[in-house]
Amino acid sequence: MKKYWTVFKKSLKSETIYRPAALAGIAGSLLGFFMQVFLWKALLGSGARRDTSFSDMLLFIIINSFMLELTRTNVAGIIENSMIDGTISMELLRPMSYKTFLLMNALGKNTYGTLTRTVPILIISVFLISGTPLPNLYHFILFIMSAFLGILLMFEVTYLAGLSAFWLQRCWFIEFYLMGFERIFGGTMVPIWFYPEWLKKMSFFLPFRYMTFEPINFFLGKTPVEEAWFPILMALFWLMALNVLDKCIWQMAVKRLTVNGG
């Protein structure tokens, strides 16, 4: 476990080297945040949706920004690049699980991104959400649990996309489609509250809404505590199913790499 903690710390530390990039990221996050705030204020102010208050939407934007930073990952791109330049063979010689190495590396980068790009938004938001009720203890605990599962789910999906590079070498287009599904069925661009009923029902049977949208629902208290079992169990189901699938694909990928490598 110590070696994986070392990977996490080194990944976190490596991000601090690029300070101009961090400043640009902060500026971009703040610009995106204010654009969403003004857009939704105009839409809700014009009566676009009467059963969703601007306070709810503001909290959604804040927590959504937080979750997007926590779940952001470029695992597929890393695997693709290592396949192209041939360093994948060296990566597999590490005295640790390649998958866990990628996970800890991603968590280190995401932690830094969350601290630099989301904390400024949270500080500014304090002046915007004054008087807005925060979640009770039960919903906050459910939010933490669901957020943790969401991080792992996003990693599993992008890791599976990356494994396709063992056959295709280029897998960026698969990740592109997956991110499109995540934006639609995960409600990261427009909350699923606004979706038509048929699209809402479809999202329940896909893993994407359990990455970011369900944690946000728990934080806002829109999912009653007595109904929390369904999204939690669905997230666990998808996590286990994807984990079994990636193990099978990994076994085939390693065999293929060994055969091609002689």
Side-chain angles (χ1 to χ4, degrees):
M1 190 63 189
K2 184 178 180 181
K3 55 189 175 184
Y4 296 118
W5 176 244
T6 302
V7 172
F8 172 83
K9 290 191 295 183
K10 286 188 175 181
S11 175
L12 179 61
K13 187 176 181 180
S14 67
E15 292 295 298
T16 63
I17 299 173
Y18 308 102
R19 294 181 182 178
L23 293 174
I26 293 171
S29 296
L30 290 174
L31 178 61
F33 171 72
F34 283 114
M35 286 177 64
Q36 290 184 76
V37 170
F38 294 139
L39 173 64
W40 284 107
K41 187 173 181 61
L43 289 173
L44 295 175
S46 64
R49 186 69 180 237
R50 294 295 184 186
D51 58 348
T52 299
S53 67
F54 177 67
S55 297
D56 285 343
M57 202 62 229
L58 183 58
L59 278 175
F60 175 87
I61 295 170
I62 297 167
I63 307 304
N64 188 48
S65 300
F66 178 75
M67 288 301 303
L68 287 177
E69 288 297 335
L70 280 181
T71 57
R72 186 191 304 271
T73 177
N74 188 34
V75 172
I78 293 173
I79 298 176
E80 177 186 284
N81 291 334
S82 64
M83 286 296 298
I84 293 172
D85 60 24
T87 56
I88 185 65
S89 57
M90 298 299 296
E91 295 288 350
L92 297 182
L93 293 177
R94 294 178 185 271
M96 61 180 72
S97 164
Y98 183 53
K99 178 182 176 181
T100 310
F101 166 78
L102 291 173
L103 174 61
M104 298 307 292
N105 185 64
L107 287 177
K109 294 180 183 297
N110 290 355
T111 300
Y112 180 80
T114 301
L115 291 174
T116 56
R117 289 189 284 269
T118 306
V119 170
I121 291 176
L122 294 176
I123 294 173
I124 292 174
S125 301
V126 170
F127 302 99
L128 300 176
I129 61 174
S130 58
T132 303
L134 295 177
N136 58 41
L137 179 61
Y138 296 110
H139 277 105
F140 186 74
I141 292 173
L142 288 169
F143 164 72
I144 297 296
M145 291 171 55
S146 186
F148 177 72
L149 293 174
I151 293 169
L152 296 180
L153 266 176
M154 177 62 84
F155 173 80
E156 283 287 349
V157 169
T158 52
Y159 177 68
L160 277 170
L163 290 182
S164 65
F166 280 84
W167 288 270
L168 304 174
Q169 196 170 63
R170 299 282 185 179
C171 64
W172 63 267
F173 60 94
I174 296 179
E175 187 179 23
F176 174 79
Y177 288 125
L178 285 174
M179 293 305 102
F181 280 116
E182 192 250 340
R183 289 187 177 185
I184 296 173
F185 294 105
T188 57
M189 296 294 290
V190 177
I192 297 179
W193 314 322
F194 301 115
Y195 285 14
E197 284 300 319
W198 66 270
L199 197 54
K200 284 182 184 178
K201 292 177 180 178
M202 188 183 297
S203 70
F204 278 112
F205 300 99
L206 296 173
F208 305 103
R209 73 174 288 147
Y210 306 104
M211 296 175 182
T212 58
F213 185 73
E214 286 300 342
I216 296 172
N217 265 352
F218 282 128
F219 191 91
L220 296 178
K222 288 186 175 291
T223 301
V225 175
E226 58 271 18
E227 297 178 11
W229 61 272
F230 181 78
I232 295 294
L233 285 182
M234 285 297 292
L236 287 171
F237 164 77
W238 274 109
L239 195 58
M240 290 187 290
L242 293 173
N243 186 55
V244 171
L245 182 60
D246 80 49
K247 284 183 178 179
C248 295
I249 295 177
W250 174 252
Q251 292 297 325
M252 293 187 290
V254 171
K255 288 179 181 178
R256 185 176 188 282
L257 183 66
T258 302
V259 171
N260 289 347

